[in-house]
Amino acid sequence: MSAYLAIVGTTFSLIVTAALSYALSRKRLRGRRVILLGILLTILFSPGIIPSYLVVRQFGLINSLWALIFPALASGWNVILMKGFFDSVPAELEESASIDGCNDLTIWFRIICRCRSLLLRRSGYSMLSSIGTSFSPR
């Protein structure tokens, strides 16, 4: 059960974190400073366990494995770390791919494939935290 939780939680967390951090690293996104401020505030002032329970209850996830996966999809710290990496990727790489006919999703996948070491480190950290949440009381 905890292997399933670790694998599924890591996969979904990696996809959500990478997509969010890539979108926040591009200048075209309107309101990205407000979103980054919200992420930073969740890092500085953790809401605690009661709001997490209220979110899980609101989505009807009580007594399911998704109650352990869903609240930990996008950690603010990991989003900031991956955004820093995507900021270091030159904009010319994205421009050249769009000139060659790639859409945004193809550009994202090609940039993601370039950063395998970052994704491996991030997935290892996420798997360790997923295994840690499997010991939570049900």
PDB file of all heavy atoms in Angstrom, residues 85-121:
ATOM      1  N   PHE A  85      15.095  26.834 -11.454  1.00  0.00           N
ATOM      2  CA  PHE A  85      15.755  26.144 -12.564  1.00  0.00           C
ATOM      3  C   PHE A  85      15.196  26.612 -13.901  1.00  0.00           C
ATOM      4  O   PHE A  85      15.945  26.886 -14.833  1.00  0.00           O
ATOM      5  CB  PHE A  85      15.592  24.630 -12.444  1.00  0.00           C
ATOM      6  CG  PHE A  85      16.085  23.928 -13.675  1.00  0.00           C
ATOM      7  CD1 PHE A  85      17.434  23.749 -13.871  1.00  0.00           C
ATOM      8  CD2 PHE A  85      15.198  23.499 -14.629  1.00  0.00           C
ATOM      9  CE1 PHE A  85      17.902  23.129 -15.018  1.00  0.00           C
ATOM     10  CE2 PHE A  85      15.652  22.874 -15.778  1.00  0.00           C
ATOM     11  CZ  PHE A  85      17.011  22.689 -15.974  1.00  0.00           C
ATOM     12  N   PHE A  86      13.869  26.702 -14.014  1.00  0.00           N
ATOM     13  CA  PHE A  86      13.269  27.113 -15.282  1.00  0.00           C
ATOM     14  C   PHE A  86      13.611  28.557 -15.630  1.00  0.00           C
ATOM     15  O   PHE A  86      13.653  28.916 -16.803  1.00  0.00           O
ATOM     16  CB  PHE A  86      11.756  26.914 -15.260  1.00  0.00           C
ATOM     17  CG  PHE A  86      11.351  25.477 -15.350  1.00  0.00           C
ATOM     18  CD1 PHE A  86      10.446  24.951 -14.450  1.00  0.00           C
ATOM     19  CD2 PHE A  86      11.860  24.645 -16.324  1.00  0.00           C
ATOM     20  CE1 PHE A  86      10.062  23.629 -14.523  1.00  0.00           C
ATOM     21  CE2 PHE A  86      11.493  23.320 -16.405  1.00  0.00           C
ATOM     22  CZ  PHE A  86      10.588  22.807 -15.503  1.00  0.00           C
ATOM     23  N   ASP A  87      13.858  29.391 -14.619  1.00  0.00           N
ATOM     24  CA  ASP A  87      14.311  30.750 -14.897  1.00  0.00           C
ATOM     25  C   ASP A  87      15.700  30.760 -15.518  1.00  0.00           C
ATOM     26  O   ASP A  87      16.038  31.666 -16.275  1.00  0.00           O
ATOM     27  CB  ASP A  87      14.317  31.593 -13.618  1.00  0.00           C
ATOM     28  CG  ASP A  87      12.929  32.021 -13.197  1.00  0.00           C
ATOM     29  OD1 ASP A  87      12.013  31.982 -14.033  1.00  0.00           O
ATOM     30  OD2 ASP A  87      12.771  32.401 -12.015  1.00  0.00           O
ATOM     31  N   SER A  88      16.511  29.757 -15.193  1.00  0.00           N
ATOM     32  CA  SER A  88      17.868  29.708 -15.734  1.00  0.00           C
ATOM     33  C   SER A  88      17.914  29.168 -17.165  1.00  0.00           C
ATOM     34  O   SER A  88      18.924  29.304 -17.832  1.00  0.00           O
ATOM     35  CB  SER A  88      18.761  28.857 -14.828  1.00  0.00           C
ATOM     36  OG  SER A  88      18.405  27.490 -14.925  1.00  0.00           O
ATOM     37  N   VAL A  89      16.837  28.562 -17.624  1.00  0.00           N
ATOM     38  CA  VAL A  89      16.782  28.080 -19.009  1.00  0.00           C
ATOM     39  C   VAL A  89      16.614  29.302 -19.914  1.00  0.00           C
ATOM     40  O   VAL A  89      15.720  30.113 -19.699  1.00  0.00           O
ATOM     41  CB  VAL A  89      15.608  27.096 -19.193  1.00  0.00           C
ATOM     42  CG1 VAL A  89      15.437  26.714 -20.650  1.00  0.00           C
ATOM     43  CG2 VAL A  89      15.831  25.856 -18.351  1.00  0.00           C
ATOM     44  N   PRO A  90      17.462  29.445 -20.923  1.00  0.00           N
ATOM     45  CA  PRO A  90      17.378  30.651 -21.761  1.00  0.00           C
ATOM     46  C   PRO A  90      16.071  30.726 -22.552  1.00  0.00           C
ATOM     47  O   PRO A  90      15.543  29.719 -23.019  1.00  0.00           O
ATOM     48  CB  PRO A  90      18.580  30.528 -22.698  1.00  0.00           C
ATOM     49  CG  PRO A  90      19.066  29.137 -22.576  1.00  0.00           C
ATOM     50  CD  PRO A  90      18.555  28.566 -21.303  1.00  0.00           C
ATOM     51  N   ALA A  91      15.575  31.956 -22.691  1.00  0.00           N
ATOM     52  CA  ALA A  91      14.329  32.179 -23.430  1.00  0.00           C
ATOM     53  C   ALA A  91      14.506  31.877 -24.913  1.00  0.00           C
ATOM     54  O   ALA A  91      13.536  31.559 -25.607  1.00  0.00           O
ATOM     55  CB  ALA A  91      13.860  33.608 -23.229  1.00  0.00           C
ATOM     56  N   GLU A  92      15.740  31.944 -25.394  1.00  0.00           N
ATOM     57  CA  GLU A  92      16.000  31.657 -26.806  1.00  0.00           C
ATOM     58  C   GLU A  92      15.690  30.203 -27.142  1.00  0.00           C
ATOM     59  O   GLU A  92      15.330  29.886 -28.277  1.00  0.00           O
ATOM     60  CB  GLU A  92      17.462  31.968 -27.160  1.00  0.00           C
ATOM     61  CG  GLU A  92      17.800  33.436 -27.158  1.00  0.00           C
ATOM     62  CD  GLU A  92      18.073  33.983 -25.768  1.00  0.00           C
ATOM     63  OE1 GLU A  92      18.262  33.174 -24.824  1.00  0.00           O
ATOM     64  OE2 GLU A  92      18.068  35.213 -25.624  1.00  0.00           O
ATOM     65  N   LEU A  93      15.842  29.317 -26.167  1.00  0.00           N
ATOM     66  CA  LEU A  93      15.520  27.908 -26.389  1.00  0.00           C
ATOM     67  C   LEU A  93      14.032  27.746 -26.678  1.00  0.00           C
ATOM     68  O   LEU A  93      13.633  27.036 -27.611  1.00  0.00           O
ATOM     69  CB  LEU A  93      15.921  27.088 -25.164  1.00  0.00           C
ATOM     70  CG  LEU A  93      15.702  25.593 -25.227  1.00  0.00           C
ATOM     71  CD1 LEU A  93      16.596  24.982 -26.290  1.00  0.00           C
ATOM     72  CD2 LEU A  93      15.998  24.974 -23.893  1.00  0.00           C
ATOM     73  N   GLU A  94      13.204  28.435 -25.909  1.00  0.00           N
ATOM     74  CA  GLU A  94      11.758  28.385 -26.136  1.00  0.00           C
ATOM     75  C   GLU A  94      11.391  29.056 -27.459  1.00  0.00           C
ATOM     76  O   GLU A  94      10.541  28.554 -28.203  1.00  0.00           O
ATOM     77  CB  GLU A  94      11.034  29.073 -24.981  1.00  0.00           C
ATOM     78  CG  GLU A  94       9.544  29.003 -25.081  1.00  0.00           C
ATOM     79  CD  GLU A  94       8.861  29.636 -23.891  1.00  0.00           C
ATOM     80  OE1 GLU A  94       9.532  29.982 -22.907  1.00  0.00           O
ATOM     81  OE2 GLU A  94       7.629  29.785 -23.960  1.00  0.00           O
ATOM     82  N   GLU A  95      12.037  30.169 -27.767  1.00  0.00           N
ATOM     83  CA  GLU A  95      11.747  30.861 -29.018  1.00  0.00           C
ATOM     84  C   GLU A  95      12.128  30.027 -30.230  1.00  0.00           C
ATOM     85  O   GLU A  95      11.391  29.974 -31.219  1.00  0.00           O
ATOM     86  CB  GLU A  95      12.493  32.197 -29.058  1.00  0.00           C
ATOM     87  CG  GLU A  95      11.963  33.220 -28.105  1.00  0.00           C
ATOM     88  CD  GLU A  95      12.816  34.469 -28.060  1.00  0.00           C
ATOM     89  OE1 GLU A  95      13.719  34.606 -28.921  1.00  0.00           O
ATOM     90  OE2 GLU A  95      12.591  35.301 -27.175  1.00  0.00           O
ATOM     91  N   SER A  96      13.281  29.373 -30.159  1.00  0.00           N
ATOM     92  CA  SER A  96      13.705  28.555 -31.298  1.00  0.00           C
ATOM     93  C   SER A  96      12.795  27.352 -31.492  1.00  0.00           C
ATOM     94  O   SER A  96      12.506  26.959 -32.619  1.00  0.00           O
ATOM     95  CB  SER A  96      15.153  28.110 -31.129  1.00  0.00           C
ATOM     96  OG  SER A  96      15.276  27.230 -30.029  1.00  0.00           O
ATOM     97  N   ALA A  97      12.309  26.785 -30.400  1.00  0.00           N
ATOM     98  CA  ALA A  97      11.384  25.657 -30.520  1.00  0.00           C
ATOM     99  C   ALA A  97      10.049  26.108 -31.097  1.00  0.00           C
ATOM    100  O   ALA A  97       9.437  25.393 -31.894  1.00  0.00           O
ATOM    101  CB  ALA A  97      11.181  24.996 -29.166  1.00  0.00           C
ATOM    102  N   SER A  98       9.587  27.299 -30.715  1.00  0.00           N
ATOM    103  CA  SER A  98       8.320  27.783 -31.271  1.00  0.00           C
ATOM    104  C   SER A  98       8.464  28.155 -32.744  1.00  0.00           C
ATOM    105  O   SER A  98       7.520  27.994 -33.516  1.00  0.00           O
ATOM    106  CB  SER A  98       7.804  28.973 -30.470  1.00  0.00           C
ATOM    107  OG  SER A  98       8.672  30.061 -30.587  1.00  0.00           O
ATOM    108  N   ILE A  99       9.632  28.628 -33.149  1.00  0.00           N
ATOM    109  CA  ILE A  99       9.876  28.894 -34.570  1.00  0.00           C
ATOM    110  C   ILE A  99       9.869  27.597 -35.362  1.00  0.00           C
ATOM    111  O   ILE A  99       9.382  27.543 -36.497  1.00  0.00           O
ATOM    112  CB  ILE A  99      11.206  29.659 -34.758  1.00  0.00           C
ATOM    113  CG1 ILE A  99      11.055  31.079 -34.245  1.00  0.00           C
ATOM    114  CG2 ILE A  99      11.650  29.654 -36.209  1.00  0.00           C
ATOM    115  CD1 ILE A  99      12.348  31.852 -34.197  1.00  0.00           C
ATOM    116  N   ASP A 100      10.378  26.528 -34.748  1.00  0.00           N
ATOM    117  CA  ASP A 100      10.393  25.223 -35.415  1.00  0.00           C
ATOM    118  C   ASP A 100       9.028  24.566 -35.451  1.00  0.00           C
ATOM    119  O   ASP A 100       8.875  23.483 -36.006  1.00  0.00           O
ATOM    120  CB  ASP A 100      11.380  24.288 -34.725  1.00  0.00           C
ATOM    121  CG  ASP A 100      12.813  24.675 -34.994  1.00  0.00           C
ATOM    122  OD1 ASP A 100      13.043  25.392 -35.990  1.00  0.00           O
ATOM    123  OD2 ASP A 100      13.699  24.276 -34.208  1.00  0.00           O
ATOM    124  N   GLY A 101       8.023  25.180 -34.824  1.00  0.00           N
ATOM    125  CA  GLY A 101       6.665  24.669 -34.908  1.00  0.00           C
ATOM    126  C   GLY A 101       6.168  23.926 -33.685  1.00  0.00           C
ATOM    127  O   GLY A 101       5.129  23.282 -33.744  1.00  0.00           O
ATOM    128  N   CYS A 102       6.887  23.998 -32.589  1.00  0.00           N
ATOM    129  CA  CYS A 102       6.446  23.314 -31.364  1.00  0.00           C
ATOM    130  C   CYS A 102       5.409  24.167 -30.640  1.00  0.00           C
ATOM    131  O   CYS A 102       5.520  25.385 -30.592  1.00  0.00           O
ATOM    132  CB  CYS A 102       7.627  23.080 -30.436  1.00  0.00           C
ATOM    133  SG  CYS A 102       8.863  21.959 -31.100  1.00  0.00           S
ATOM    134  N   ASN A 103       4.419  23.506 -30.070  1.00  0.00           N
ATOM    135  CA  ASN A 103       3.460  24.221 -29.223  1.00  0.00           C
ATOM    136  C   ASN A 103       3.988  24.270 -27.795  1.00  0.00           C
ATOM    137  O   ASN A 103       5.062  23.755 -27.504  1.00  0.00           O
ATOM    138  CB  ASN A 103       2.079  23.576 -29.300  1.00  0.00           C
ATOM    139  CG  ASN A 103       2.081  22.140 -28.839  1.00  0.00           C
ATOM    140  OD1 ASN A 103       3.072  21.630 -28.323  1.00  0.00           O
ATOM    141  ND2 ASN A 103       0.968  21.481 -29.020  1.00  0.00           N
ATOM    142  N   ASP A 104       3.239  24.904 -26.892  1.00  0.00           N
ATOM    143  CA  ASP A 104       3.712  25.090 -25.517  1.00  0.00           C
ATOM    144  C   ASP A 104       3.938  23.768 -24.791  1.00  0.00           C
ATOM    145  O   ASP A 104       4.885  23.625 -24.027  1.00  0.00           O
ATOM    146  CB  ASP A 104       2.723  25.947 -24.729  1.00  0.00           C
ATOM    147  CG  ASP A 104       2.772  27.401 -25.143  1.00  0.00           C
ATOM    148  OD1 ASP A 104       3.827  27.841 -25.632  1.00  0.00           O
ATOM    149  OD2 ASP A 104       1.749  28.094 -24.972  1.00  0.00           O
ATOM    150  N   LEU A 105       3.065  22.796 -25.020  1.00  0.00           N
ATOM    151  CA  LEU A 105       3.205  21.505 -24.339  1.00  0.00           C
ATOM    152  C   LEU A 105       4.450  20.763 -24.808  1.00  0.00           C
ATOM    153  O   LEU A 105       5.178  20.176 -24.002  1.00  0.00           O
ATOM    154  CB  LEU A 105       1.949  20.660 -24.576  1.00  0.00           C
ATOM    155  CG  LEU A 105       1.804  19.412 -23.728  1.00  0.00           C
ATOM    156  CD1 LEU A 105       1.769  19.788 -22.251  1.00  0.00           C
ATOM    157  CD2 LEU A 105       0.560  18.652 -24.104  1.00  0.00           C
ATOM    158  N   THR A 106       4.740  20.808 -26.096  1.00  0.00           N
ATOM    159  CA  THR A 106       5.944  20.160 -26.624  1.00  0.00           C
ATOM    160  C   THR A 106       7.194  20.847 -26.099  1.00  0.00           C
ATOM    161  O   THR A 106       8.167  20.179 -25.744  1.00  0.00           O
ATOM    162  CB  THR A 106       5.928  20.176 -28.165  1.00  0.00           C
ATOM    163  OG1 THR A 106       4.704  19.619 -28.618  1.00  0.00           O
ATOM    164  CG2 THR A 106       7.086  19.398 -28.730  1.00  0.00           C
ATOM    165  N   ILE A 107       7.161  22.156 -26.032  1.00  0.00           N
ATOM    166  CA  ILE A 107       8.300  22.898 -25.480  1.00  0.00           C
ATOM    167  C   ILE A 107       8.503  22.498 -24.019  1.00  0.00           C
ATOM    168  O   ILE A 107       9.634  22.270 -23.580  1.00  0.00           O
ATOM    169  CB  ILE A 107       8.062  24.416 -25.614  1.00  0.00           C
ATOM    170  CG1 ILE A 107       8.104  24.830 -27.082  1.00  0.00           C
ATOM    171  CG2 ILE A 107       9.098  25.197 -24.823  1.00  0.00           C
ATOM    172  CD1 ILE A 107       7.664  26.250 -27.328  1.00  0.00           C
ATOM    173  N   TRP A 108       7.407  22.386 -23.278  1.00  0.00           N
ATOM    174  CA  TRP A 108       7.520  22.020 -21.865  1.00  0.00           C
ATOM    175  C   TRP A 108       8.132  20.636 -21.705  1.00  0.00           C
ATOM    176  O   TRP A 108       9.010  20.430 -20.876  1.00  0.00           O
ATOM    177  CB  TRP A 108       6.139  22.094 -21.218  1.00  0.00           C
ATOM    178  CG  TRP A 108       6.138  21.787 -19.766  1.00  0.00           C
ATOM    179  CD1 TRP A 108       6.756  22.487 -18.785  1.00  0.00           C
ATOM    180  CD2 TRP A 108       5.498  20.686 -19.128  1.00  0.00           C
ATOM    181  NE1 TRP A 108       6.526  21.904 -17.574  1.00  0.00           N
ATOM    182  CE2 TRP A 108       5.758  20.801 -17.747  1.00  0.00           C
ATOM    183  CE3 TRP A 108       4.725  19.633 -19.581  1.00  0.00           C
ATOM    184  CZ2 TRP A 108       5.282  19.890 -16.831  1.00  0.00           C
ATOM    185  CZ3 TRP A 108       4.245  18.739 -18.662  1.00  0.00           C
ATOM    186  CH2 TRP A 108       4.527  18.865 -17.308  1.00  0.00           C
ATOM    187  N   PHE A 109       7.670  19.672 -22.518  1.00  0.00           N
ATOM    188  CA  PHE A 109       8.225  18.325 -22.409  1.00  0.00           C
ATOM    189  C   PHE A 109       9.696  18.292 -22.795  1.00  0.00           C
ATOM    190  O   PHE A 109      10.492  17.584 -22.188  1.00  0.00           O
ATOM    191  CB  PHE A 109       7.443  17.328 -23.264  1.00  0.00           C
ATOM    192  CG  PHE A 109       6.217  16.803 -22.590  1.00  0.00           C
ATOM    193  CD1 PHE A 109       4.983  16.933 -23.187  1.00  0.00           C
ATOM    194  CD2 PHE A 109       6.291  16.184 -21.369  1.00  0.00           C
ATOM    195  CE1 PHE A 109       3.843  16.458 -22.577  1.00  0.00           C
ATOM    196  CE2 PHE A 109       5.160  15.701 -20.739  1.00  0.00           C
ATOM    197  CZ  PHE A 109       3.930  15.845 -21.348  1.00  0.00           C
ATOM    198  N   ARG A 110      10.075  19.059 -23.798  1.00  0.00           N
ATOM    199  CA  ARG A 110      11.483  19.054 -24.201  1.00  0.00           C
ATOM    200  C   ARG A 110      12.364  19.726 -23.172  1.00  0.00           C
ATOM    201  O   ARG A 110      13.505  19.335 -22.974  1.00  0.00           O
ATOM    202  CB  ARG A 110      11.635  19.709 -25.559  1.00  0.00           C
ATOM    203  CG  ARG A 110      11.035  18.843 -26.626  1.00  0.00           C
ATOM    204  CD  ARG A 110      11.375  19.317 -27.979  1.00  0.00           C
ATOM    205  NE  ARG A 110      10.710  18.428 -28.949  1.00  0.00           N
ATOM    206  CZ  ARG A 110      10.944  18.459 -30.220  1.00  0.00           C
ATOM    207  NH1 ARG A 110      11.796  19.317 -30.712  1.00  0.00           N
ATOM    208  NH2 ARG A 110      10.312  17.626 -31.019  1.00  0.00           N
ATOM    209  N   ILE A 111      11.857  20.746 -22.513  1.00  0.00           N
ATOM    210  CA  ILE A 111      12.642  21.390 -21.457  1.00  0.00           C
ATOM    211  C   ILE A 111      12.703  20.478 -20.237  1.00  0.00           C
ATOM    212  O   ILE A 111      13.737  20.369 -19.591  1.00  0.00           O
ATOM    213  CB  ILE A 111      12.064  22.777 -21.120  1.00  0.00           C
ATOM    214  CG1 ILE A 111      12.315  23.721 -22.292  1.00  0.00           C
ATOM    215  CG2 ILE A 111      12.676  23.347 -19.851  1.00  0.00           C
ATOM    216  CD1 ILE A 111      11.666  25.069 -22.151  1.00  0.00           C
ATOM    217  N   ILE A 112      11.617  19.807 -19.939  1.00  0.00           N
ATOM    218  CA  ILE A 112      11.606  18.869 -18.809  1.00  0.00           C
ATOM    219  C   ILE A 112      12.606  17.744 -19.050  1.00  0.00           C
ATOM    220  O   ILE A 112      13.320  17.329 -18.135  1.00  0.00           O
ATOM    221  CB  ILE A 112      10.191  18.292 -18.594  1.00  0.00           C
ATOM    222  CG1 ILE A 112       9.246  19.377 -18.099  1.00  0.00           C
ATOM    223  CG2 ILE A 112      10.190  17.134 -17.619  1.00  0.00           C
ATOM    224  CD1 ILE A 112       9.611  19.960 -16.774  1.00  0.00           C
ATOM    225  N   CYS A 113      12.682  17.251 -20.246  1.00  0.00           N
ATOM    226  CA  CYS A 113      13.631  16.168 -20.545  1.00  0.00           C
ATOM    227  C   CYS A 113      15.081  16.626 -20.384  1.00  0.00           C
ATOM    228  O   CYS A 113      15.953  15.805 -20.145  1.00  0.00           O
ATOM    229  CB  CYS A 113      13.400  15.640 -21.959  1.00  0.00           C
ATOM    230  SG  CYS A 113      11.883  14.688 -22.116  1.00  0.00           S
ATOM    231  N   ARG A 114      15.323  17.913 -20.507  1.00  0.00           N
ATOM    232  CA  ARG A 114      16.685  18.422 -20.329  1.00  0.00           C
ATOM    233  C   ARG A 114      17.115  18.393 -18.865  1.00  0.00           C
ATOM    234  O   ARG A 114      18.303  18.381 -18.580  1.00  0.00           O
ATOM    235  CB  ARG A 114      16.784  19.869 -20.830  1.00  0.00           C
ATOM    236  CG  ARG A 114      16.932  19.978 -22.297  1.00  0.00           C
ATOM    237  CD  ARG A 114      17.259  21.397 -22.708  1.00  0.00           C
ATOM    238  NE  ARG A 114      18.537  21.812 -22.179  1.00  0.00           N
ATOM    239  CZ  ARG A 114      18.725  22.902 -21.444  1.00  0.00           C
ATOM    240  NH1 ARG A 114      17.714  23.669 -21.136  1.00  0.00           N
ATOM    241  NH2 ARG A 114      19.910  23.237 -21.028  1.00  0.00           N
ATOM    242  N   CYS A 115      16.185  18.424 -17.945  1.00  0.00           N
ATOM    243  CA  CYS A 115      16.552  18.578 -16.532  1.00  0.00           C
ATOM    244  C   CYS A 115      16.329  17.285 -15.759  1.00  0.00           C
ATOM    245  O   CYS A 115      15.740  17.290 -14.706  1.00  0.00           O
ATOM    246  CB  CYS A 115      15.789  19.733 -15.908  1.00  0.00           C
ATOM    247  SG  CYS A 115      14.013  19.537 -15.922  1.00  0.00           S
ATOM    248  N   ARG A 116      16.826  16.209 -16.281  1.00  0.00           N
ATOM    249  CA  ARG A 116      16.608  14.906 -15.635  1.00  0.00           C
ATOM    250  C   ARG A 116      17.184  14.850 -14.230  1.00  0.00           C
ATOM    251  O   ARG A 116      16.584  14.266 -13.340  1.00  0.00           O
ATOM    252  CB  ARG A 116      17.210  13.801 -16.488  1.00  0.00           C
ATOM    253  CG  ARG A 116      16.435  13.562 -17.737  1.00  0.00           C
ATOM    254  CD  ARG A 116      16.945  12.348 -18.471  1.00  0.00           C
ATOM    255  NE  ARG A 116      16.170  12.194 -19.680  1.00  0.00           N
ATOM    256  CZ  ARG A 116      16.687  12.020 -20.873  1.00  0.00           C
ATOM    257  NH1 ARG A 116      17.984  11.968 -21.016  1.00  0.00           N
ATOM    258  NH2 ARG A 116      15.923  11.886 -21.915  1.00  0.00           N
ATOM    259  N   SER A 117      18.345  15.463 -14.019  1.00  0.00           N
ATOM    260  CA  SER A 117      18.942  15.383 -12.683  1.00  0.00           C
ATOM    261  C   SER A 117      18.079  16.110 -11.662  1.00  0.00           C
ATOM    262  O   SER A 117      17.885  15.627 -10.547  1.00  0.00           O
ATOM    263  CB  SER A 117      20.353  15.959 -12.699  1.00  0.00           C
ATOM    264  OG  SER A 117      20.320  17.334 -13.014  1.00  0.00           O
ATOM    265  N   LEU A 118      17.537  17.262 -12.041  1.00  0.00           N
ATOM    266  CA  LEU A 118      16.653  17.981 -11.122  1.00  0.00           C
ATOM    267  C   LEU A 118      15.395  17.172 -10.840  1.00  0.00           C
ATOM    268  O   LEU A 118      14.957  17.068  -9.698  1.00  0.00           O
ATOM    269  CB  LEU A 118      16.277  19.343 -11.705  1.00  0.00           C
ATOM    270  CG  LEU A 118      15.278  20.139 -10.888  1.00  0.00           C
ATOM    271  CD1 LEU A 118      15.934  20.678  -9.638  1.00  0.00           C
ATOM    272  CD2 LEU A 118      14.690  21.245 -11.704  1.00  0.00           C
ATOM    273  N   LEU A 119      14.821  16.576 -11.870  1.00  0.00           N
ATOM    274  CA  LEU A 119      13.604  15.794 -11.672  1.00  0.00           C
ATOM    275  C   LEU A 119      13.870  14.553 -10.830  1.00  0.00           C
ATOM    276  O   LEU A 119      13.028  14.162 -10.027  1.00  0.00           O
ATOM    277  CB  LEU A 119      13.006  15.400 -13.020  1.00  0.00           C
ATOM    278  CG  LEU A 119      12.395  16.546 -13.812  1.00  0.00           C
ATOM    279  CD1 LEU A 119      11.919  16.044 -15.159  1.00  0.00           C
ATOM    280  CD2 LEU A 119      11.258  17.161 -13.056  1.00  0.00           C
ATOM    281  N   LEU A 120      15.027  13.933 -11.001  1.00  0.00           N
ATOM    282  CA  LEU A 120      15.339  12.762 -10.182  1.00  0.00           C
ATOM    283  C   LEU A 120      15.504  13.150  -8.713  1.00  0.00           C
ATOM    284  O   LEU A 120      15.016  12.454  -7.825  1.00  0.00           O
ATOM    285  CB  LEU A 120      16.603  12.078 -10.703  1.00  0.00           C
ATOM    286  CG  LEU A 120      16.446  11.323 -12.015  1.00  0.00           C
ATOM    287  CD1 LEU A 120      17.794  10.790 -12.476  1.00  0.00           C
ATOM    288  CD2 LEU A 120      15.453  10.191 -11.865  1.00  0.00           C
ATOM    289  N   ARG A 121      16.180  14.268  -8.466  1.00  0.00           N
ATOM    290  CA  ARG A 121      16.318  14.720  -7.076  1.00  0.00           C
ATOM    291  C   ARG A 121      14.968  15.080  -6.486  1.00  0.00           C
ATOM    292  O   ARG A 121      14.655  14.735  -5.354  1.00  0.00           O
ATOM    293  CB  ARG A 121      17.248  15.928  -7.006  1.00  0.00           C
ATOM    294  CG  ARG A 121      18.702  15.521  -7.024  1.00  0.00           C
ATOM    295  CD  ARG A 121      19.573  16.721  -6.912  1.00  0.00           C
ATOM    296  NE  ARG A 121      19.877  17.102  -8.297  1.00  0.00           N
ATOM    297  CZ  ARG A 121      20.142  18.310  -8.699  1.00  0.00           C
ATOM    298  NH1 ARG A 121      20.154  19.292  -7.843  1.00  0.00           N
ATOM    299  NH2 ARG A 121      20.410  18.555  -9.956  1.00  0.00           N
TER     300      ARG A 121
END
